[in-house]
Amino acid sequence: MKLILLGAPGAGKGTLAEILAARLNIPTVSTGNIIREALSKGTETGLKAKAFIESGKLVPDDVVIGIIKERLSQPDCMRGFILDGFPRTIPQADALDELGLNVDFVVNIEISDEAIIGRMAGRRVCKECSATYHIKNIPPKMEGICDHCSGSLISRKDDDPNTVKERLKIYHEQTEPLIDYYYIKGRLITVDGNVSIDESINAILGVLEEKE
């Protein structure tokens, strides 16, 4: 099963991807996590991406596509994968097809901008392993501490309301056209991002079962 999770920043793609990966026994490939790891290690990719991430802008296609191609060639992706954060533009989607990585379905998570801004204000990310939490919706067992590795939970700069508004603007201009792109290809599944995580997961799995 090869899936793409599509939705605005803060729509809940990362959380849904983590749960779906466990249910379907395939890895999640998160562009954001890969780039942040490269940034923290001071790699060439990280240095290229740093200025774009901190200003809430998209990392250039050539950098992102190179990262994705390398990751999807690894053995754990042979049985399938879930792409979170890629593609973000129609040229990226075209590049994915050119690599021969035709996905089965694209899950589009619908949610309003207002709900996203409120949601991201409460998001916390582990400084060590990048696990994602929310102070209300998915709180850690211990405040400020990651359940998985005991690392410190931080509020990322790109979750700041002003940065979020800039990222939403970019999403509507550059990423939202992918909804029609994949609808025309007959691969689009749309779910309500305002409901609980369990309801979203059940809706996605239900549709996937029907499509198989």
Side-chain angles (χ1 to χ4, degrees):
M1 181 70 70
K2 299 175 183 177
L3 301 176
I4 290 172
L5 289 189
L6 182 64
K13 298 186 298 295
T15 301
L16 291 174
E18 184 178 344
I19 297 171
L20 285 171
R23 297 278 188 93
L24 299 173
N25 196 28
I26 53 177
T28 296
V29 178
S30 169
T31 313
N33 286 347
I34 294 172
I35 293 174
R36 277 189 285 273
E37 182 180 354
L39 194 156
S40 68
K41 291 181 178 179
T43 65
E44 183 179 351
T45 303
L47 293 174
K48 285 181 180 178
K50 184 176 180 179
F52 294 93
I53 292 174
E54 289 186 346
S55 64
K57 291 182 169 56
L58 295 176
V59 178
D61 283 359
D62 60 336
V63 177
V64 178
I65 291 166
I67 292 170
I68 291 295
K69 182 178 179 181
E70 181 178 312
R71 177 66 184 89
L72 296 185
S73 68
Q74 295 179 16
D76 65 335
C77 291
M78 294 299 103
R79 291 182 61 255
F81 50 80
I82 300 171
L83 282 176
D84 170 17
F86 183 92
R88 287 184 173 175
T89 63
I90 287 177
Q92 285 183 356
D94 288 337
L96 194 63
D97 285 342
E98 288 170 10
L99 292 174
L101 298 167
N102 297 316
V103 298
D104 298 303
F105 299 107
V106 177
V107 179
N108 175 44
I109 306 164
E110 281 195 337
I111 184 171
S112 70
D113 287 4
E114 292 76 15
I116 284 173
I117 292 169
R119 178 182 289 181
M120 292 183 78
R123 186 159 73 170
R124 299 293 181 269
V125 178
C126 177
K127 192 175 181 180
E128 303 299 327
C129 74
S130 299
T132 303
Y133 299 86
H134 190 279
I135 56 176
K136 291 183 178 178
N137 301 332
I138 317 171
K141 294 175 183 175
M142 223 175 182
E143 186 176 349
I145 304 296
C146 178
D147 295 347
H148 304 292
C149 71
S150 299
S152 299
L153 301 184
I154 61 170
S155 178
R156 294 201 321 243
K157 185 175 180 179
D158 53 0
D159 288 339
D160 176 81
N162 289 329
T163 304
V164 172
K165 289 176 183 177
E166 176 63 22
R167 293 174 70 198
L168 287 170
K169 180 174 179 285
I170 292 171
Y171 168 79
H172 291 306
E173 292 173 352
Q174 300 187 26
T175 305
E176 203 167 53
L178 287 171
I179 295 173
D180 285 339
Y181 177 92
Y182 284 115
Y183 176 79
I184 292 169
K185 290 177 177 287
R187 301 183 200 169
L188 191 72
I189 298 170
T190 297
V191 297
D192 185 357
N194 294 293
V195 299
S196 71
I197 290 172
D198 285 342
E199 288 174 301
S200 293
I201 290 292
N202 290 337
I204 294 167
L205 292 176
V207 174
L208 293 179
E209 287 174 5
E210 289 176 5
K211 298 282 187 180
E212 287 183 344

